């Protein structure tokens, strides 16, 4: 190890006295462990929230419902209010200048703009 | 967040008794750990782990939290970026969590065989029991923690601010976190989780949105737009508009106010070195050098010329001397005499004398007028031409043929000269006519000349384009001579193609009579490539154009002759780039300043179909089952915003306006910001853990194994002790 690295003291020590089980014992080196954790979605699925009374708060039912208000349309490029939608790219735009810019955009950028509001075409 | 400093290891760990709890605020962005009862956490670092490979030794090392990026040169980070233990706001990767806890306890100074202190650690609202039990298991099994308590950060923050008198015992805690936002009603000092509400949107999304927008707006500055930098920009310049629509209209309209609100980030830019115009001295010096060089060249040329003249004169003298000597030699002895000199006959010597004297005259700069001289004596020069063939010997016949050839060529030259002369005359006459016309009415004349020039130049251009058209449409055409389908041809090429096809398909049809007439062979001429254009008309036009142009240049001072651009010149000429200026390295942040934080109030803007912060408050109040008299008014009168993302300027005003729209007319509404939105959760937890009754809220390892998972699922601490 370079002295600079040691001086900076950024590395976590391999052995820590206050631990009953060291990291190297728990996850021995050179052993493929695969994925040993669940994503949040899987965790929630495994929780079986539907078996519990509905008035009991849980991670799923405290989630915010969709907004009561109709969603406002904003220009994807500028953020201005957008009265128009380009039928070719599906981008919302505020005025003719933005429209010109939209039409000049390469498809990759159009898709990235759409992805910003989760409206991109996802090919599976 | 930028790299600040690495937390140093605490040395007073052993001064604290085993009963003193350690308090951990395990937040999505920052991990804070410290002692109960203290005012500030001892250690704070970003809740991330990086596991790069050390380049020299090849072993995988663990780096927790932020660090000096300069040290990364020793590590191979290609396969490891920052990793977080959180999925949304729930801990799911406990291996990473273990590294984080390792580092936290190590920095706290733990050195015994286990961490022998009760632990209070924060978790998300309604944390799934799987995550909670894994965390308990980790703390009990690996660190040997005696007892443990889980609490919610927003509630601790509210309790802390309640203690400061900022909010009352009934109220609403709105916590805007890294990936989620919560609104939790507090009734009689206890959070009511039945009525709480969570939107999956937070500061992370704001930064991400800003980063994406900026990198889409400035694709060429993508490398400069790093996560850390954007985070800084967000914190420094982001604000929440009181009314997004009117604010954005302000920017759409433009004007002074919008300009004042626009921020500009100047990227590092080094101006290109400006070329200074050379000073007079420099110019003079250069001119002197040039003059000197010219002088030298002239001198060299003069020396060369004089030496050549000398040489030629010597040769001439020698030849003349030889001639004189020859006069004294007898006719029969001539070949023997000449064999030594290299000449064969007397005539040869004479002709070389003529030649040498001619070149001598030329070298001396005298006009060579032998052509005129030759003309006068055609009969002398070509004596054999007028003698019939049958009177000549074969050698003489040969000579005659040579003379004939010479005569025709010289005549042709003469004719061409004559023609040129006539043309010159014609031009002179035309110029004279023009001059007269000009003197009559200068304006009209100039106008006419200009139109003529325009027409002619257009005509010439047109022809050039036509000529160039077919050959430039694709590169291989010149090589193969073929023409791709659908490619544009000019008229001549079309005609040629037609001829070729008819010639190809006519074969075998009927009797082949090709070649019986002489005109048939003309077809090949038409087919040939050189036939493409009729040059005569073009040449005339070009000559006329040149004349008109020169004339215009003489008379009209405003006239600028269009450069004669050949058909291939534009291709070879490199496109000129506009030099980059300071403005090209600026990132302008205008609407984005409030457009990005706006997603907290309108998650729809980034495609999250959930209610925003203001609506969440209304939903929480609606969900409250306690229908005590006036409880709703009491709650709305004490709304506390906390969490890192509530630091945006204008947050409380906007929340107040938004909640006012939801609540009945004249409801009391008071929105306050926590005293320190970032640290209050830890401080609240620390003061909570310092209370003597805290230990009754914890559970031990034994409890954990005896009572089972169902108990852990329902486990809640009481926040008011």
């Amino acid at each position: 190890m370079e002295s600079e690295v040691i001086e900076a003291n950024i590395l976590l020590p391999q052995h820590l006295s206050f631990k009953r089980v060291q990291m190297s014992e728990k996850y021995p080196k050179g052993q493929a462990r695969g994925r040993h954790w669940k994503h949040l979605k899987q965790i929630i699925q495994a929780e079986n929230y539907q078996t519990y009374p509905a008035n009991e708060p849980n991670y799923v039912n405290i989630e915010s419902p969709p907004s009561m208000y109709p969603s406002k349309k904003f220009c994807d490029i500028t953020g201005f209010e957008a009265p128009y939608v380009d039928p070719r790219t599906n981008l919302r735009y505020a005025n003719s200048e933005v429209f010109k810019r939209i039409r000049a955009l390469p498809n990759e950028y159009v898709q990235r703009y759409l992805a910003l509001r989760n409206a991109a075409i996802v090919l599976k | 967040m930028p790299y600040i400093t690495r937390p140093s290891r605490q040395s007073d760990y052993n001064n604290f008794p085993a009963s003193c709890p350690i308090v951990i605020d395990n937040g999505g962005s920052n991990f804070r750990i410290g002692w109960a009862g203290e005012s500030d956490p001892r250690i704070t670092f970003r809740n991330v782990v990086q596991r790069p490979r050390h380049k020299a030794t090849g072993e995988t090392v663990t780096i927790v939290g932020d660090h000096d990026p300069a040290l990364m040169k020793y590590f191979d980070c290609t396969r490891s970026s920052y990793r977080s233990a959180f999925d949304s706001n729930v801990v799911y990767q406990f291996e990473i969590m273990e590294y984080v806890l390792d580092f936290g306890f190590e920095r706290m100074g733990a050195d015994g065989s286990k961490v022998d202190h009760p632990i209070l650690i924060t978790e998300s609202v309604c944390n799934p029991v799987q995550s909670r039990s894994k965390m308990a298991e980790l703390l009990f099994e690996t660190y040997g923690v005696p007892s443990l308590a889980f609490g919610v950060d927003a509630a601790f923050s509210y309790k802390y601010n309640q203690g400061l008198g900022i909010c009352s015992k009934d109220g609403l805690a709105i916590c805007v976190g890294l990936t989620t936002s919560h609104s939790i009603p507090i009734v009689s000092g206890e959070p009511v989780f039945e009525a709480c509400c969570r939107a999956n949107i937070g500061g992370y999304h704001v930064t991400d949105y800003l980063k994406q927008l900026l990198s889409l707006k400035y694709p060429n500055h993508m490398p400069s737009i790093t996560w850390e930098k954007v985070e800084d920009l967000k914190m420094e310049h982001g604000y929440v508009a009181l009314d997004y629509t009117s604010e954005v209209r302000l920017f759409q309209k433009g004007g002074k106010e919008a300009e004042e609100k626009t921020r500009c980030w100047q990227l590092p830019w080094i101006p290109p070195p400006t070329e200074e115009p050379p000073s007079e001295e420099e110019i003079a010096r250069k001119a002197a050098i040039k003059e000197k060089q010219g002088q030298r060249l002239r001198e060299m040329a003069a020396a060369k010329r004089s030496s050549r003249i000398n040489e030629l004169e010597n040769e001439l003298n020698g030849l003349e001397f030889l001639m004189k000597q020859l006069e004294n030699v007898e006719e029969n002895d001539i070949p023997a005499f000449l064999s030594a000199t290299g000449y064969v006959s007397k005539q040869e010597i004479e002709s070389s004398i003529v030649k040498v004297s001619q070149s001598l005259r030329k070298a001396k700069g005298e006009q060579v007028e032998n052509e005129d001289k030759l003309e006068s004596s055609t009969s002398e020069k070509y004596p054999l031409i007028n003698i019939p063939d049958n009177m000549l010997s074969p050698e003489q016949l040969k000579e005659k043929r040579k003379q004939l050839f010479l005569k025709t060529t010289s005549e042709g030259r003469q004719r061409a000269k004559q023609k040129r002369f006539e043309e010159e005359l014609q031009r002179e006459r035309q110029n004279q006519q023009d001059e007269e016309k000009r003197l009559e009415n200068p304006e009209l004349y100039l106008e006419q000349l200009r139109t003529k020039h325009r027409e002619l130049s257009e005509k010439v251009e047109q022809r050039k384009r036509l000529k160039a058209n077919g050959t430039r449409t694709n590169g291989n055409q010149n090589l193969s001579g073929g023409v791709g389908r659908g490619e544009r041809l000019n008229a001549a090429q079309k005609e040629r193609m037609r001829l070729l096809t008819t010639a190809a398909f006519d074969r075998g049809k009927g009797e082949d009579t090709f070649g019986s007439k002489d005109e048939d062979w003309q077809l090949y001429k038409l087919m040939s490539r050189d036939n493409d254009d009729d040059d005569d008309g073009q040449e005339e036009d070009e000559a006329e154009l040149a004349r008109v142009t020169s004339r215009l240049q003489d008379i009209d001072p405003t006239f600028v002759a269009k450069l004669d651009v050949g058909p291939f010149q534009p291709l070879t000429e490199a496109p000129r780039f506009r030099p980059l200026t300071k403005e090209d390295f600026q990132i302008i942040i205008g609407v984005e300043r409030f457009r990005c934080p706006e997603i907290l109030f309108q998650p729809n803007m980034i495609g999250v179909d959930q209610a925003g912060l203001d609506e969440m408050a209304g939903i929480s109040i609606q969900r409250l089952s306690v229908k005590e008299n006036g409880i709703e008014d009491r709650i709305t009168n004490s709304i506390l915003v906390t969490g890192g993302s509530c630091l945006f300027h204008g947050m409380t005003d906007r929340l107040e306006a938004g909640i006012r729209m939801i609540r009945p007319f004249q409801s009391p509404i008071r929105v306050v910001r926590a005293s320190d939105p970032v640290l209050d959760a830890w401080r609240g937890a620390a003061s909570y853990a310092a209370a003597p009754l805290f230990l009754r809220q914890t559970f031990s390892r034994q409890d954990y194994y005896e009572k089972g998972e169902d108990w852990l699922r329902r486990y809640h601490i009481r926040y008011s002790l």
Side-chain angles (χ1 to χ4, degrees):
Chain A
M1 286 289 157
E2 292 80 1
S3 61
E4 219 181 326
V5 177
I6 293 163
E7 251 170 62
N9 200 8
I10 60 168
L11 302 184
L12 193 69
Q14 297 275 324
H15 181 88
L16 293 162
S17 66
F18 55 83
K19 285 181 82 173
R20 287 181 167 183
V21 189
Q22 294 300 327
M23 216 61 181
S24 50
E25 296 166 35
K26 212 183 238 178
Y27 307 110
K29 223 177 191 175
Q31 269 183 35
R33 279 176 283 122
R35 218 180 61 187
H36 52 281
W37 36 262
K38 288 179 183 168
H39 275 293
L40 181 59
K41 261 188 185 166
Q42 296 164 305
I43 292 175
I44 289 168
Q45 220 163 26
E47 293 283 295
N48 287 320
Y49 284 130
Q50 67 277 6
T51 57
Y52 300 107
N55 60 352
E56 206 182 275
N58 59 45
Y59 192 82
V60 176
N61 67 13
I62 63 165
E63 204 159 339
S64 159
S67 174
M68 296 284 287
Y69 303 115
S71 65
K72 287 181 190 143
K73 310 273 189 291
F74 297 110
C75 176
D76 283 308
I77 316 291
T78 57
F80 301 151
E81 275 179 293
Y84 318 110
V85 178
D86 176 17
R88 197 197 287 170
T89 58
N90 278 332
L91 283 173
R92 295 170 184 157
Y93 62 95
N95 50 41
S96 54
E97 284 163 44
V98 183
F99 180 67
K100 271 181 215 152
R101 272 170 63 194
I102 285 179
R103 280 294 162 97
L105 276 179
N107 187 45
E108 189 206 333
Y109 279 75
V110 170
Q111 290 305 318
R112 280 175 64 192
Y113 269 117
L114 285 172
L116 277 186
R117 60 178 164 90
N118 216 357
I121 302 160
V122 181
L123 295 173
K124 278 180 183 168
Chain B
M1 220 173 293
Y3 162 72
I4 313 161
T5 43
R6 294 286 293 175
S8 55
R9 191 177 153 93
Q10 305 293 307
S11 54
D12 54 353
Y13 180 83
N14 290 323
N15 299 353
F16 289 89
S19 60
C20 184
I22 289 175
V23 177
I24 298 169
D25 180 6
N26 188 20
S29 56
N30 281 314
F31 184 92
R32 298 179 196 85
I33 185 166
W35 294 106
E38 291 195 343
S39 63
D40 280 310
R42 288 291 181 94
I43 310 292
T44 303
F45 54 89
R46 230 173 108 197
N47 208 341
V48 286
V49 174
Q50 193 172 16
R51 300 205 62 210
R53 211 167 50 83
H54 188 245
K55 273 180 188 164
T57 57
E59 58 180 313
T60 308
V61 297
T62 311
I63 300 170
V64 182
D66 266 315
H67 49 78
D68 191 352
L71 287 173
M72 281 301 108
K73 64 183 175 210
Y74 298 117
F75 299 100
D76 173 19
C77 300
T78 47
R79 285 187 61 199
S80 78
S81 58
Y82 287 117
R83 275 184 287 175
S84 162
F86 288 84
D87 187 357
S88 188
N89 58 344
V90 174
V91 180
Y92 79 118
Q93 284 209 38
F94 283 87
E95 190 182 338
I96 292 170
M97 195 69 240
E98 191 173 334
Y99 285 123
V100 171
L101 285 169
D102 277 356
F103 185 65
F105 289 130
E106 192 258 339
R107 292 285 105 175
M108 279 291 277
D111 54 3
S113 61
K114 57 182 182 177
V115 179
D116 197 14
H117 295 273
I119 300 277
L120 171 60
I121 187 167
T122 62
E123 59 168 12
S124 65
V125 180
C126 300
N127 198 12
V129 74
Q130 196 251 13
S131 171
R132 189 182 271 181
S133 66
K134 279 265 179 83
M135 180 69 91
E137 194 182 301
L138 179 67
L139 285 167
F140 285 134
E141 297 296 327
T142 308
Y143 299 101
V145 170
S147 61
L148 176 66
F150 289 110
V152 170
D153 49 352
F156 285 130
S157 179
Y158 189 89
K159 293 302 286 182
Y160 182 73
N161 282 286
Q162 189 190 337
L164 292 176
I166 291 171
C167 47
S168 47
K169 68 176 174 34
D170 296 330
L172 185 75
I174 295 181
C175 175
V176 196
L178 181 72
T179 51
T180 52
S181 301
H182 289 92
S183 77
I184 308 165
I186 315 277
V187 178
S188 316
E190 281 298 313
V192 185
F193 291 118
E194 290 83 7
C196 87
C197 182
R198 183 194 73 235
N200 294 326
I201 195 150
Y204 170 86
H205 301 96
V206 179
T207 311
D208 189 49
Y209 194 42
L210 182 58
K211 184 169 181 277
Q212 297 282 348
L213 282 177
L214 286 183
S215 46
L216 280 166
K217 200 168 156 191
Y218 300 98
N220 42 347
H221 295 314
M222 205 101 90
S224 312
I225 305 170
T226 59
W227 182 270
E228 284 74 20
K229 185 65 204 175
V230 174
E231 189 120 328
D232 285 352
L233 285 178
K234 173 188 89 169
M235 289 197 281
E236 200 176 334
H237 300 296
Y239 70 94
V240 177
L242 192 58
D243 178 10
Y244 181 81
T245 322
S246 59
E247 188 83 6
V248 90
R249 269 196 206 120
L250 199 79
F251 275 86
Q252 195 164 11
K253 227 171 41 216
K256 208 174 152 225
E257 215 175 328
E259 232 165 77
E260 273 170 13
K261 287 189 174 182
T262 305
R263 297 284 181 271
C264 169
W265 169 27
Q266 178 71 55
L267 295 172
W269 174 74
I270 303 146
T274 47
E275 274 178 37
E276 279 181 28
S279 63
E280 268 179 43
E281 211 176 296
E282 186 88 344
I283 293 170
R285 205 165 54 83
K286 272 189 183 157
I289 290 171
K290 213 172 169 187
E291 177 62 28
K292 226 176 177 177
Q293 282 171 340
Q295 186 65 37
R296 220 180 66 210
L297 280 176
R298 269 196 298 277
E299 272 165 16
M300 266 162 67
K304 211 173 165 189
R305 212 171 110 231
S306 68
S307 76
R308 179 151 169 77
I309 287 171
N310 253 342
E311 224 170 80
L312 285 170
E313 268 171 356
N314 284 347
E315 200 177 341
L316 198 61
N317 288 342
L319 282 169
E320 268 160 12
F321 175 71
L322 198 66
M323 282 301 279
K324 260 183 209 146
Q325 274 189 324
L326 264 184
E327 277 164 26
N328 304 333
V329 178
E330 297 222 353
E331 195 79 3
N332 289 343
D333 293 339
I334 287 176
F337 175 77
L338 283 180
S339 66
T341 61
Y343 290 99
V344 183
S345 65
K346 201 176 168 183
Q347 280 95 336
E348 208 182 325
I349 298 175
E350 273 165 2
S351 74
S352 49
I353 285 178
V354 172
K355 239 190 243 165
V356 169
S357 57
Q358 259 180 31
S359 12
L360 186 64
R361 270 207 295 273
K362 214 170 168 184
K364 279 179 174 166
E366 283 164 34
Q367 198 61 41
V368 186
E369 359 46 52
N370 57 348
E371 272 181 57
D372 299 326
K373 225 168 35 189
L374 283 175
E375 201 185 348
S376 57
S377 55
T378 317
S379 49
E380 288 166 34
K381 253 210 124 178
Y382 311 116
L384 295 175
I385 284 179
N386 293 329
I387 303 165
D389 281 358
N390 46 15
M391 287 171 71
L392 297 168
S393 65
E395 273 138 59
Q396 277 173 321
L397 254 180
K398 220 188 216 171
E399 189 66 13
K400 184 188 171 182
R401 235 173 281 143
K402 204 169 144 196
Q403 282 178 3
L404 252 177
F405 173 73
L406 275 174
K407 195 186 164 205
T408 42
T409 46
S410 74
E411 271 170 2
R413 232 180 287 144
Q414 205 62 30
R415 268 202 300 280
K417 206 177 167 189
Q418 184 73 19
K419 201 179 163 194
R420 239 182 290 144
F421 183 66
E422 270 165 25
E423 266 174 19
E424 195 83 351
L425 262 183
Q426 171 85 9
R427 205 167 296 156
E428 200 87 325
R429 257 206 307 283
Q430 223 164 4
N431 274 357
Q432 235 155 30
Q433 278 172 6
D434 281 356
E435 193 65 25
E436 277 162 28
K437 267 193 223 161
R438 190 177 76 87
L439 290 174
E440 263 171 49
N441 189 348
E443 311 268 288
L444 182 73
Y445 172 72
L446 206 62
E447 197 50 44
Q448 279 173 343
L449 206 60
R450 277 201 197 115
T451 39
K452 199 172 177 191
H453 176 260
R454 201 162 46 239
E455 277 166 12
L456 274 172
S457 58
E458 261 167 33
K459 208 169 162 189
V460 169
E461 280 288 288
Q462 176 90 9
R463 202 173 259 142
K464 268 184 192 159
R465 257 207 304 279
L466 262 181
K467 209 170 161 188
N469 198 3
T471 51
R472 260 216 290 172
T473 40
N474 74 4
N476 62 4
Q477 203 186 335
N478 286 332
L479 305 171
S480 63
V483 178
R485 229 167 21 150
E487 257 178 56
R488 218 174 273 183
L489 303 169
N490 63 31
Q493 282 174 323
K494 262 185 207 153
E495 178 61 19
R496 188 170 152 261
M497 286 308 282
R498 197 189 62 76
L499 285 173
L500 284 173
T501 41
T502 45
F505 284 101
D506 267 354
R507 224 192 298 162
K509 255 188 220 162
E511 206 182 331
D512 190 4
T513 57
F514 188 85
S516 60
K517 282 178 288 180
D518 272 349
E519 295 90 85
D520 286 350
W521 302 107
Q522 287 293 315
L523 188 61
Y524 286 118
K525 221 176 189 179
L526 285 173
M527 277 184 193
S528 87
R529 203 156 256 292
D530 309 328
N531 190 40
D532 277 358
D533 42 42
D534 47 333
D535 274 335
D536 10 327
Q538 185 176 1
E539 261 169 26
E540 256 169 47
D541 282 341
E542 269 175 11
E544 185 67 9
L545 179 65
R547 195 184 69 83
V548 173
T549 311
S550 69
R551 189 106 185 100
L552 263 175
Q553 271 168 337
D554 288 346
I555 317 167
D556 189 2
T558 60
F559 175 77
V560 180
K562 215 176 76 182
L563 278 174
D564 188 24
V565 182
F568 295 102
Q569 212 160 336
L571 285 177
T572 52
E573 199 177 23
R576 282 169 62 85
F577 290 108
R578 185 176 60 91
L580 289 176
T581 60
K582 194 176 161 192
E583 280 69 35
D584 293 318
F585 287 85
Q586 280 173 353
I587 286 182
I588 310 291
I589 310 162
V591 179
E592 289 84 359
R593 286 183 67 199
F594 59 93
R595 182 183 177 186
C596 298
E598 183 65 21
I599 62 172
L600 297 173
F601 292 89
Q602 299 183 49
N604 239 316
M605 284 171 79
I606 56 161
V608 174
D609 195 18
Q610 288 185 325
L613 286 184
D614 41 4
E615 257 185 279
M616 275 163 60
I619 291 162
S620 280
I621 293 166
Q622 254 178 26
R623 281 180 179 177
L624 263 183
S625 53
V626 202
K627 289 294 173 216
E628 210 179 302
N629 215 3
I631 181 86
E632 291 185 5
D633 284 353
R634 284 212 300 283
I635 283 174
T636 56
N637 203 19
S638 160
I639 297 172
L640 182 89
V641 273
T642 181
S645 299
C646 82
L647 288 167
F648 288 115
H649 182 76
M651 188 68 153
T652 48
D653 296 340
R654 172 65 187 274
L655 261 180
E656 193 173 327
I659 294 169
R660 201 173 289 282
M661 285 207 287
I662 297 163
R663 298 301 302 159
F665 180 57
Q666 283 194 334
S667 329
I669 289 164
R670 190 173 66 97
V671 180
V672 288
R673 177 184 287 168
S675 63
D676 184 343
V678 177
L679 279 180
D680 276 356
W682 186 88
R683 287 177 180 148
S687 62
Y688 175 80
L693 283 172
F694 164 71
L695 290 177
R696 293 176 62 179
Q697 300 297 327
T698 60
F699 62 96
S700 67
R701 185 168 171 241
Q702 212 173 351
D703 293 331
Y704 170 64
Y705 284 114
E706 276 173 11
K707 289 178 180 166
E709 203 170 70
D710 201 45
W711 171 84
L712 189 66
R713 196 167 59 78
R714 262 180 272 178
Y715 163 84
H716 283 299
I717 56 166
R718 276 192 59 83
Y719 288 85
S720 358
L721 297 174

